[in-house]
Amino acid sequence: MDEPSFDWAKAHGYLGGLHAPLSDVLAGIEPPSGVQVQPTVGPQAAALLDVLIRAAEPPRILEIGTSCGYAACVMGMAAAAYGGTVVTMEIRGDLADAARRNVARLGLEATVSVLEGDARELVMTLTGSFGLILQDGHKELYEPLLDPLLERLDKGGLLVSDDVLFPVMKIPERVRGWAEAIERYNRRLRGHPLLRTTWLPIGDGVAVSVKHA
Ligand SMILES: C[S@@+](CC[C@H](N)C(=O)[O-])C[C@H]1O[C@@H](n2cnc3c(N)ncnc32)[C@H](O)[C@@H]1O
Protein backbone atom coordinates (compact mmCIF):
# COMPACT_ATOMS: atom_id res chain seq x y z
CA MET A 1 0.00 0.00 0.00
CA ASP A 2 1.21 3.53 -0.74
CA GLU A 3 2.42 5.54 2.21
CA PRO A 4 -0.18 8.22 3.03
CA SER A 5 1.05 11.49 1.57
CA PHE A 6 1.52 14.45 3.89
CA ASP A 7 1.82 18.06 2.82
CA TRP A 8 3.43 19.82 5.78
CA ALA A 9 2.54 23.35 4.68
CA LYS A 10 -1.08 22.34 4.10
CA ALA A 11 -1.25 20.68 7.52
CA HIS A 12 0.14 23.81 9.16
CA GLY A 13 -2.48 25.93 7.38
CA TYR A 14 -5.27 23.56 8.38
CA LEU A 15 -4.21 23.47 12.05
CA GLY A 16 -3.79 27.24 12.02
CA GLY A 17 -7.44 27.54 11.00
CA LEU A 18 -8.54 25.24 13.83
CA HIS A 19 -6.65 27.30 16.42
CA ALA A 20 -8.87 30.34 16.43
CA PRO A 21 -7.77 33.11 18.80
CA LEU A 22 -8.68 32.24 22.39
CA SER A 23 -10.89 35.30 22.64
CA ASP A 24 -11.68 38.46 20.69
CA VAL A 25 -10.00 40.49 23.43
CA LEU A 26 -6.77 38.54 23.02
CA ALA A 27 -6.84 39.08 19.27
CA GLY A 28 -6.63 42.80 20.06
CA ILE A 29 -3.23 42.51 21.79
CA GLU A 30 -0.99 44.69 19.66
CA PRO A 31 2.31 46.49 20.20
CA PRO A 32 2.14 50.26 20.56
CA SER A 33 2.05 51.70 17.03
CA GLY A 34 5.41 52.04 15.32
CA VAL A 35 7.16 49.80 17.86
CA GLN A 36 9.19 46.85 16.56
CA VAL A 37 8.58 43.63 18.48
CA GLN A 38 9.51 39.99 18.09
CA PRO A 39 6.69 37.56 17.28
CA THR A 40 4.46 36.15 20.01
CA VAL A 41 4.27 32.41 20.63
CA GLY A 42 1.32 32.40 18.18
CA PRO A 43 -2.11 30.77 18.40
CA GLN A 44 -1.04 27.11 18.27
CA ALA A 45 1.47 27.38 21.12
CA ALA A 46 -1.06 29.55 22.98
CA ALA A 47 -3.63 26.77 22.72
CA LEU A 48 -1.04 24.26 23.97
CA LEU A 49 -0.24 26.47 26.99
CA ASP A 50 -3.95 26.92 27.68
CA VAL A 51 -4.50 23.14 27.69
CA LEU A 52 -1.38 22.36 29.76
CA ILE A 53 -2.23 24.98 32.39
CA ARG A 54 -5.88 23.98 32.69
CA ALA A 55 -4.83 20.30 33.02
CA ALA A 56 -1.93 20.73 35.47
CA GLU A 57 -3.24 23.79 37.37
CA PRO A 58 0.24 24.98 38.40
CA PRO A 59 -0.18 27.40 41.34
CA ARG A 60 2.65 29.65 40.05
CA ILE A 61 3.73 30.21 36.42
CA LEU A 62 6.84 32.03 35.16
CA GLU A 63 7.49 33.48 31.71
CA ILE A 64 10.83 34.76 30.38
CA GLY A 65 10.23 37.34 27.60
CA THR A 66 6.88 39.14 27.93
CA SER A 67 6.89 41.42 24.88
CA CYS A 68 3.37 42.94 24.82
CA GLY A 69 1.91 40.22 27.01
CA TYR A 70 0.21 37.90 24.51
CA ALA A 71 1.38 34.63 26.13
CA ALA A 72 1.19 36.17 29.61
CA CYS A 73 -2.50 36.99 29.01
CA VAL A 74 -3.20 33.52 27.58
CA MET A 75 -1.62 31.93 30.63
CA GLY A 76 -3.24 34.46 32.95
CA MET A 77 -6.72 33.70 31.65
CA ALA A 78 -6.15 29.96 32.17
CA ALA A 79 -4.60 30.47 35.64
CA ALA A 80 -7.33 32.86 36.79
CA ALA A 81 -9.85 30.03 36.37
CA TYR A 82 -8.36 28.16 39.39
CA GLY A 83 -6.60 30.94 41.34
CA GLY A 84 -3.08 30.52 39.90
CA THR A 85 -0.67 33.38 39.23
CA VAL A 86 1.79 34.36 36.48
CA VAL A 87 5.09 36.26 36.81
CA THR A 88 6.56 37.48 33.52
CA MET A 89 9.85 39.30 32.77
CA GLU A 90 10.63 41.83 30.04
CA ILE A 91 13.82 43.83 29.57
CA ARG A 92 12.26 46.67 27.51
CA GLY A 93 10.35 49.26 29.51
CA ASP A 94 8.05 50.23 26.61
CA LEU A 95 7.00 46.60 26.15
CA ALA A 96 6.59 45.95 29.88
CA ASP A 97 4.25 49.00 29.98
CA ALA A 98 2.32 47.73 26.94
CA ALA A 99 2.00 44.30 28.57
CA ARG A 100 0.68 45.87 31.80
CA ARG A 101 -1.95 47.76 29.76
CA ASN A 102 -3.02 44.53 28.03
CA VAL A 103 -3.15 42.68 31.36
CA ALA A 104 -5.36 45.47 32.77
CA ARG A 105 -7.60 45.47 29.69
CA LEU A 106 -8.33 41.80 30.40
CA GLY A 107 -8.87 42.43 34.13
CA LEU A 108 -5.93 40.17 35.01
CA GLU A 109 -3.99 42.56 37.31
CA ALA A 110 -4.47 40.26 40.31
CA THR A 111 -3.20 37.26 38.32
CA VAL A 112 -0.31 38.51 36.12
CA SER A 113 2.71 40.48 37.44
CA VAL A 114 4.98 42.06 34.82
CA LEU A 115 8.56 42.53 36.06
CA GLU A 116 10.74 44.94 34.08
CA GLY A 117 14.44 44.06 33.86
CA ASP A 118 17.04 41.60 32.67
CA ALA A 119 15.89 38.02 33.27
CA ARG A 120 19.50 37.04 34.05
CA GLU A 121 19.26 39.17 37.18
CA LEU A 122 15.53 38.91 37.95
CA VAL A 123 15.50 35.09 37.93
CA MET A 124 18.14 35.03 40.68
CA THR A 125 15.89 37.18 42.92
CA LEU A 126 12.85 34.89 42.68
CA THR A 127 11.74 33.10 45.80
CA GLY A 128 9.65 29.94 45.82
CA SER A 129 9.12 27.60 42.89
CA PHE A 130 6.94 27.39 39.78
CA GLY A 131 4.82 24.62 38.30
CA LEU A 132 5.23 25.80 34.70
CA ILE A 133 7.93 27.95 33.11
CA LEU A 134 7.67 29.39 29.58
CA GLN A 135 11.07 30.25 28.09
CA ASP A 136 10.55 32.75 25.24
CA GLY A 137 13.21 35.36 25.99
CA HIS A 138 16.50 36.07 24.20
CA LYS A 139 17.50 32.90 22.33
CA GLU A 140 21.15 33.18 23.40
CA LEU A 141 20.03 33.14 27.04
CA TYR A 142 18.02 29.90 26.85
CA GLU A 143 21.03 27.69 27.56
CA PRO A 144 22.67 29.81 30.30
CA LEU A 145 19.31 30.21 32.07
CA LEU A 146 18.36 26.53 31.86
CA ASP A 147 19.84 25.39 35.18
CA PRO A 148 18.78 28.51 37.17
CA LEU A 149 15.23 27.98 35.86
CA LEU A 150 15.24 24.26 36.66
CA GLU A 151 16.27 25.09 40.25
CA ARG A 152 13.01 27.05 40.45
CA LEU A 153 10.79 24.45 38.72
CA ASP A 154 8.75 22.06 40.87
CA LYS A 155 9.37 18.34 40.54
CA GLY A 156 6.74 17.23 38.01
CA GLY A 157 6.66 20.80 36.67
CA LEU A 158 6.71 21.72 32.99
CA LEU A 159 9.29 23.74 31.07
CA VAL A 160 7.84 24.99 27.76
CA SER A 161 10.42 26.43 25.33
CA ASP A 162 9.40 28.38 22.21
CA ASP A 163 11.27 28.72 18.89
CA VAL A 164 13.05 25.36 19.10
CA LEU A 165 12.81 24.89 15.31
CA PHE A 166 15.06 27.90 14.62
CA PRO A 167 17.97 25.61 13.60
CA VAL A 168 16.01 24.41 10.55
CA MET A 169 14.07 27.59 9.74
CA LYS A 170 14.97 30.34 7.30
CA ILE A 171 15.84 33.21 9.61
CA PRO A 172 17.62 36.49 8.80
CA GLU A 173 21.42 36.24 8.63
CA ARG A 174 21.81 38.81 11.41
CA VAL A 175 20.14 36.41 13.88
CA ARG A 176 21.91 33.26 12.64
CA GLY A 177 23.52 33.06 16.10
CA TRP A 178 20.08 32.47 17.57
CA ALA A 179 19.71 29.27 15.57
CA GLU A 180 23.08 28.04 16.84
CA ALA A 181 22.09 28.94 20.40
CA ILE A 182 18.83 27.01 20.08
CA GLU A 183 20.72 24.03 18.63
CA ARG A 184 22.92 24.00 21.75
CA TYR A 185 19.80 24.36 23.92
CA ASN A 186 17.97 21.47 22.23
CA ARG A 187 21.00 19.24 22.84
CA ARG A 188 21.02 20.25 26.52
CA LEU A 189 17.30 19.41 26.79
CA ARG A 190 17.86 16.05 25.12
CA GLY A 191 20.67 15.03 27.45
CA HIS A 192 19.48 16.67 30.67
CA PRO A 193 19.28 14.15 33.52
CA LEU A 194 16.34 15.94 35.20
CA LEU A 195 14.18 16.27 32.08
CA ARG A 196 12.09 14.26 29.65
CA THR A 197 11.32 16.34 26.56
CA THR A 198 9.13 16.22 23.48
CA TRP A 199 9.55 18.65 20.57
CA LEU A 200 6.38 19.69 18.73
CA PRO A 201 6.27 21.20 15.21
CA ILE A 202 3.78 23.92 16.08
CA GLY A 203 4.41 27.62 15.57
CA ASP A 204 8.20 28.04 15.39
CA GLY A 205 8.59 24.78 17.32
CA VAL A 206 7.75 24.19 20.97
CA ALA A 207 9.58 21.85 23.36
CA VAL A 208 7.65 20.54 26.37
CA SER A 209 9.84 19.11 29.13
CA VAL A 210 8.83 17.60 32.45
CA LYS A 211 11.20 17.74 35.43
CA HIS A 212 10.96 14.13 36.53
CA ALA A 213 13.64 14.09 39.20
C1 LIG B 1 9.75 36.45 21.40
S1 LIG B 1 9.51 37.85 22.43
C2 LIG B 1 8.36 37.26 23.65
C3 LIG B 1 6.95 37.03 23.13
C4 LIG B 1 5.98 36.68 24.24
N1 LIG B 1 6.40 35.53 24.99
C5 LIG B 1 4.60 36.43 23.68
O1 LIG B 1 4.29 35.30 23.26
O2 LIG B 1 3.82 37.39 23.63
C6 LIG B 1 11.01 37.90 23.37
C7 LIG B 1 11.07 39.04 24.37
O3 LIG B 1 12.18 38.81 25.25
C8 LIG B 1 12.67 40.07 25.63
N2 LIG B 1 14.04 39.91 26.18
C9 LIG B 1 15.22 39.82 25.51
N3 LIG B 1 16.25 39.70 26.34
C10 LIG B 1 15.72 39.70 27.60
C11 LIG B 1 16.28 39.62 28.90
N4 LIG B 1 17.61 39.50 29.08
N5 LIG B 1 15.45 39.68 29.96
C12 LIG B 1 14.12 39.81 29.80
N6 LIG B 1 13.52 39.89 28.58
C13 LIG B 1 14.31 39.84 27.49
C14 LIG B 1 12.64 40.87 24.35
O4 LIG B 1 12.68 42.28 24.59
C15 LIG B 1 11.33 40.38 23.72
O5 LIG B 1 10.27 41.27 23.99
Side-chain angles (χ1 to χ4, degrees):
M1 202 172 79
D2 290 343
E3 287 288 315
S5 68
F6 192 85
D7 180 329
W8 195 243
K10 199 170 166 183
H12 253 274
Y14 177 69
L15 293 177
L18 292 178
H19 286 98
L22 291 169
S23 80
D24 291 345
V25 189
L26 203 52
I29 290 186
E30 303 274 347
S33 66
V35 171
Q36 282 277 333
V37 293
Q38 293 167 31
T40 70
V41 293
Q44 295 182 28
L48 174 67
L49 287 163
D50 181 63
V51 168
L52 290 176
I53 291 168
R54 287 174 194 275
E57 298 196 346
R60 297 179 77 213
I61 296 166
L62 173 66
E63 177 186 37
I64 311 298
T66 316
S67 190
C68 300
Y70 176 85
C73 287
V74 168
M75 296 192 292
M77 286 195 297
Y82 61 88
T85 58
V86 178
V87 174
T88 179
M89 299 176 174
E90 171 55 52
I91 200 165
R92 277 176 51 181
D94 58 341
L95 296 183
D97 288 344
R100 287 192 194 100
R101 284 195 295 276
N102 285 316
V103 165
R105 200 159 51 84
L106 287 169
L108 292 169
E109 300 100 315
T111 303
V112 180
S113 308
V114 180
L115 304 185
E116 182 186 328
D118 189 329
R120 282 170 290 192
E121 290 154 21
L122 291 175
V123 164
M124 306 308 166
T125 68
L126 292 171
T127 54
S129 60
F130 296 83
L132 184 145
I133 298 177
L134 170 62
Q135 174 54 282
D136 192 23
H138 197 297
K139 306 313 152 198
E140 291 177 6
L141 297 181
Y142 276 34
E143 208 266 335
L145 278 176
L146 179 59
D147 286 331
L149 290 178
L150 290 181
E151 283 168 23
R152 290 157 179 84
L153 183 63
D154 296 331
K155 185 174 176 202
L158 297 170
L159 171 67
V160 180
S161 310
D162 195 33
D163 299 324
V164 294
L165 278 173
F166 271 22
V168 291
M169 286 171 60
K170 279 191 188 141
I171 59 174
E173 198 49 44
R174 69 189 157 76
V175 291
R176 200 64 230 155
W178 293 5
E180 289 157 15
I182 292 290
E183 176 65 24
R184 286 195 296 278
Y185 181 71
N186 281 332
R187 288 178 191 281
R188 280 292 310 284
L189 290 184
R190 190 176 63 177
H192 204 291
L194 300 182
L195 297 177
R196 301 295 295 256
T197 297
T198 183
W199 287 262
L200 304 172
I202 60 175
D204 291 342
V206 177
V208 182
S209 310
V210 63
K211 182 175 166 184
H212 65 83

